[in-house]
Amino acid sequence: DTATTEIYTLSLTTLFRSAAACLGGAEKCIEIAADYAKQRMAFGQPLSKFQGISFELAELYTRLDLLKLQLMRGAWMIDQYNADPGSFTQKQINVVIAQCKMLSPHLAVDAAKQAIMILGAFGYTKDSPLEMAMRGAMSYVAGAEGATNIMKIIIARDVFGNEFVDK
């Protein structure tokens, strides 16, 4: 019915937006860290030349890119579903969005933490945007718009079937 569809769409939109917000935060943290690593010199060269710095940011950037693609896939599935409800089931869409919501807050925390480490002590001060990014990302891990463990239940039900996963 229409009321159920509207509630479903609103709930899905909330999860979608929180995942997107986390990805935006992660992207900004990676950008701040990369800019700093290109400018900060150590032992006569930029920090970005050291594999200990560049490899960490490369890994974070790859995770970010993959999650962006999965989020775009979810948006595409929602568009397809709205045009033709037979194209995907709500369960299929739920799983894709739950995957994004489960992983994106952890990526945002990891990106903030790594950026803070690269910037050193300044990265953790109240004057740094990274300190606020870390607190914001942690709020999504802790439960804003659906805790990580709830997302795992949604995904586990898809893997095992409802009857094999505790409610």
Side-chain angles (χ1 to χ4, degrees):
D1 77 351
T2 306
T4 303
T5 302
E6 287 176 8
I7 291 169
Y8 169 75
T9 303
L10 180 62
S11 175
L12 202 58
T13 301
T14 301
L15 293 176
F16 192 86
R17 285 182 180 163
S18 64
C22 289
L23 294 182
E27 185 169 36
K28 187 63 179 176
C29 289
I30 293 167
E31 179 184 305
I32 289 169
D35 287 346
Y36 181 82
K38 288 187 281 188
Q39 296 171 14
R40 177 76 164 100
M41 301 294 283
F43 305 106
Q45 58 187 351
L47 287 179
S48 62
K49 295 247 182 184
F50 294 97
Q51 292 175 352
I53 302 291
S54 62
F55 282 12
E56 290 291 331
L57 291 179
E59 183 179 322
L60 290 168
Y61 183 80
T62 300
R63 289 171 55 198
L64 173 68
D65 200 39
L66 291 171
L67 277 168
K68 281 181 175 179
L69 289 171
Q70 186 70 335
L71 199 60
M72 285 187 252
R73 177 179 175 225
W76 175 78
M77 290 172 77
I78 292 168
D79 285 346
Q80 297 303 305
Y81 179 83
N82 288 336
D84 174 17
S87 59
F88 293 101
T89 65
Q90 289 182 349
K91 182 180 177 188
Q92 289 172 313
I93 297 170
N94 286 348
V95 169
V96 170
I97 300 303
Q99 290 169 337
C100 294
K101 176 57 178 85
M102 179 181 76
L103 295 176
S104 60
H106 293 283
L107 171 62
V109 168
D110 291 347
K113 186 167 78 173
Q114 188 61 40
I116 287 168
M117 295 299 290
I118 291 170
L119 268 69
F122 173 73
Y124 198 65
T125 65
K126 293 263 188 197
D127 295 328
S128 169
L130 299 172
E131 183 267 343
M132 184 187 294
M134 176 66 93
R135 283 187 291 117
M138 282 303 298
S139 75
Y140 285 104
V141 171
E145 287 87 29
T148 299
N149 287 340
I150 301 300
M151 300 304 115
K152 289 179 183 179
I153 290 170
I154 293 168
I155 296 163
R157 286 180 183 157
D158 189 56
V159 172
F160 298 105
N162 288 342
E163 66 273 15
F164 294 101
V165 178
D166 284 339
K167 306 259 188 242

